[in-house]
Amino acid sequence: EPARKGPFGLRSYGRVWRVLDRNHDGVGDSKYVVLKDLPNGRHNTNGMAFGPDGLLYVTNGSSTDDGIEGGDREVVPWSGSVVRVNPKARGVSITDLPRRRTLVATGWRNVYDLAFSPVAEDLLFVPMNGTDDARKGSTADNPVDPNLEDSDDLLFATRVGDRRADDFGFPSCLYNVAEKGGLRPYDNPNPDVIKRFGRCPKRVPRPVSSFGLHTSSDGLAFQTTGAWGNEYRNDLFVAEWGNLFGSPAGHDLVRVQLDKSGRRVVSQSVFLNLDFPLDVTFDRSGAMFVADFTGQIFKVDRLL
């Protein structure tokens, strides 16, 4: 929604609406706000999913690009977070809810979607887009590597039933696999970020995989049926919208294969090349539907 005065000042806020179709004709008859006052800015309140507990889980993006630049001030812990709410709630403010039960995880940047594992039902997978331009700068004790200006788009996993809200470290922690090797975090190169938020902790929950720079990893969904054979059952598919500038990246639908526990990534590969895939879902029969930013929807119901 447009900038307005709210519990965190004059800024952008997100809301979750519920739309009712009482006569089942495919047209909404009425609507009301379920959850409001989610602080965002550069990034928005996006994907939602119902959890195994029946609660509604919602992604809420960070306010800025790198923690300081490019948007309203970050509001810890609600900026760059996943929260949960009773779907029957009406007009509830995030400030009215108990933090311990509401906050699922935080310390993320642009989180677009979320999907629960079909193997470990309390495990939630969340893709995150990394920084576009973490500002150059240095301090006497922390020289900055100019090659670490941008950071990777990542895949995270967090448990929702352990009564603990993981903090994944943004904006203090960034990742660039090509430069650092592995999924090792490093300090945000903007010294103002470190001054305000502190250094990246030595022990921080790490992502389970990287998609590389500027792939714009957005919607995701699991193939939970045997429609394509057992080889694809419980695989995760991620839509990469891609970039518009610099070297080509993204513009793919990526297949992520997990181990039998459903917790560790064993491989990932390009499944489809598209223009600007934004979201993906499966119907009950196992057919895949991919929404492309060009206005097209593609269906994949079998593999040749």
Side-chain angles (χ1 to χ4, degrees), residues 75-200:
V75 178
V76 178
W78 307 118
S79 298
S81 70
V82 168
V83 299
R84 57 189 156 202
V85 64
N86 187 326
K88 296 181 180 180
R90 284 179 174 263
V92 173
S93 170
I94 192 70
T95 59
D96 295 332
L97 298 173
R99 172 173 165 174
R100 185 174 179 181
R101 285 187 288 177
T102 304
L103 184 67
V104 177
T106 188
W108 283 320
R109 184 179 173 272
N110 183 12
V111 282
Y112 184 88
D113 203 4
L114 68 177
F116 282 93
S117 166
V119 178
E121 69 171 11
D122 74 330
L123 193 64
L124 184 65
F125 284 83
V126 182
M128 186 199 80
N129 293 332
T131 58
D132 297 319
D133 186 18
R135 198 182 69 182
K136 292 181 180 180
S138 63
T139 61
D141 61 346
N142 184 33
V144 170
D145 183 344
N147 295 318
L148 298 179
E149 281 301 294
D150 301 332
S151 65
D152 287 2
D153 291 2
L154 304 163
L155 179 65
F156 291 90
T158 187
R159 292 182 60 193
V160 304
D162 59 2
R163 298 184 180 181
R164 181 183 65 191
D166 287 327
D167 187 337
F168 289 94
F170 181 82
S172 298
C173 305
L174 301 181
Y175 296 80
N176 185 313
V177 171
E179 293 292 338
K180 298 290 285 187
L183 294 170
R184 292 188 294 158
Y186 56 85
D187 284 337
N188 191 313
N190 186 339
D192 292 337
V193 172
I194 302 303
K195 182 178 180 181
R196 181 179 297 178
F197 297 97
R199 295 187 182 279
C200 179

Side-chain angles (χ1 to χ4, degrees), residues 14 16 32 39-40 55 61 72 75 87 89-90 102-103 114 117 127 144 154 206 217 258 263 269 284 301:
V16 175
Y32 63 85
N40 54 37
L55 297 178
D72 295 328
V75 178
R90 284 179 174 263
T102 304
L103 184 67
L114 68 177
S117 166
V144 170
L154 304 163
R206 297 188 183 183
S217 302
L258 303 160
R263 299 178 183 276
S269 58
R284 292 182 180 180
D301 56 8

